[in-house]
Amino acid sequence: MAVERTLIILKTDAVNRGLCGEIIKRLEGKGLKFVGLKMAWLDEKTLREHYAHLASKPFFPDLIEFMSRSPVVLAVVEGRNAVELVRNLCGVTDANKAAPGTIRGDLALSTSRNVIHASDSLETARKEIEGFFKKEELFSYKLSNSKYLYAEDEL
Ligand code: IDP
Ligand code: MG
């Protein structure tokens, strides 16, 4: 399994419900390395592009309104198999059905207000990271505990 980077967005419900710390804590606790972290107020154009695959859905206008209600927290996390791993930590889209123990399963109960976005493939992750973060906002560094997170042959 390769070391990957993936993009997460802590949605406006996470910000307004005061859950950002809890979500970041879970990802940090897992051993993921934060290589980019910032707050931004996403505009309609950006959101329409980000959610272009859902443009024909009846819930699309609500999704755009919900995501532009307040600032969100954006982050890039890095780790072994990070794209699939973070999706699994998030749980399925409908938080009502997300397994207990997952971020959505423990912290939300709605299909749309589900606290976190995570890239769904390596290709999407590359595009989303490039779209939301400038090069100088991303940091390459070694965690001092990396020898305790991974075996030699896992890095
Ligand atoms: P994902 O966030 O799990 O990748 P997507 O299908 O990419 O799920 O949908 C993006 C976001 O759109 C979801 O996280 C959720 O906020 C919203 N959404 C998806 N499906 C529905 C739905 O059936 N009803 C209402 N909102 C939805
Ligand atoms: Mg998605």
Side-chain angles (χ1 to χ4, degrees):
M1 276 186 271
V3 174
E4 300 170 350
R5 286 182 173 188
T6 192
L7 179 96
I8 62 164
I9 304 175
L10 307 184
K11 299 183 179 185
T12 60
D13 52 344
V15 170
N16 286 276
R17 293 175 59 209
L19 293 172
C20 295
E22 168 68 25
I23 297 169
I24 290 169
K25 179 177 150 230
R26 285 172 179 235
L27 298 172
E28 272 191 311
K30 183 70 176 172
L32 287 157
K33 173 164 62 176
F34 278 73
V35 297
L37 183 66
K38 65 179 179 181
M39 190 169 233
W41 199 321
L42 302 179
D43 60 31
E44 192 179 324
K45 182 173 170 285
T46 305
L47 286 165
R48 284 182 174 276
E49 272 169 34
H50 178 66
Y51 285 125
H53 61 294
L54 299 169
S56 63
K57 301 284 184 188
F59 58 82
F60 188 70
D62 174 76
L63 178 61
I64 302 301
E65 187 276 321
F66 160 63
M67 288 297 291
S68 55
R69 263 182 211 174
S70 80
V72 295
V73 172
L74 297 120
V76 178
V77 296
E78 183 183 287
R80 195 166 168 249
N81 195 37
V83 175
E84 185 186 12
L85 171 63
V86 173
R87 290 285 291 188
N88 287 338
L89 293 174
C90 288
V92 296
T93 306
D94 183 352
N96 211 291
K97 304 216 171 87
T102 64
I103 291 167
R104 287 167 169 170
D106 288 350
L107 302 175
L109 41 64
S110 160
T111 316
S112 56
R113 279 57 165 159
N114 56 8
V115 299
I116 186 167
H117 163 84
S119 308
D120 62 9
S121 72
L122 199 50
E123 188 49 32
T124 317
R126 278 202 197 99
K127 279 188 201 145
E128 292 182 345
I129 292 167
E130 205 181 290
F132 285 108
F133 279 82
K134 294 180 194 145
K135 268 199 179 131
E136 61 268 27
E137 293 175 325
L138 295 171
F139 301 92
S140 291
Y141 63 101
K142 201 169 173 184
L143 283 178
S144 63
N145 66 1
S146 63
K147 278 191 177 166
Y148 297 91
L149 288 168
Y150 296 102
E152 288 292 323
D153 62 352
E154 289 176 334
L155 282 171

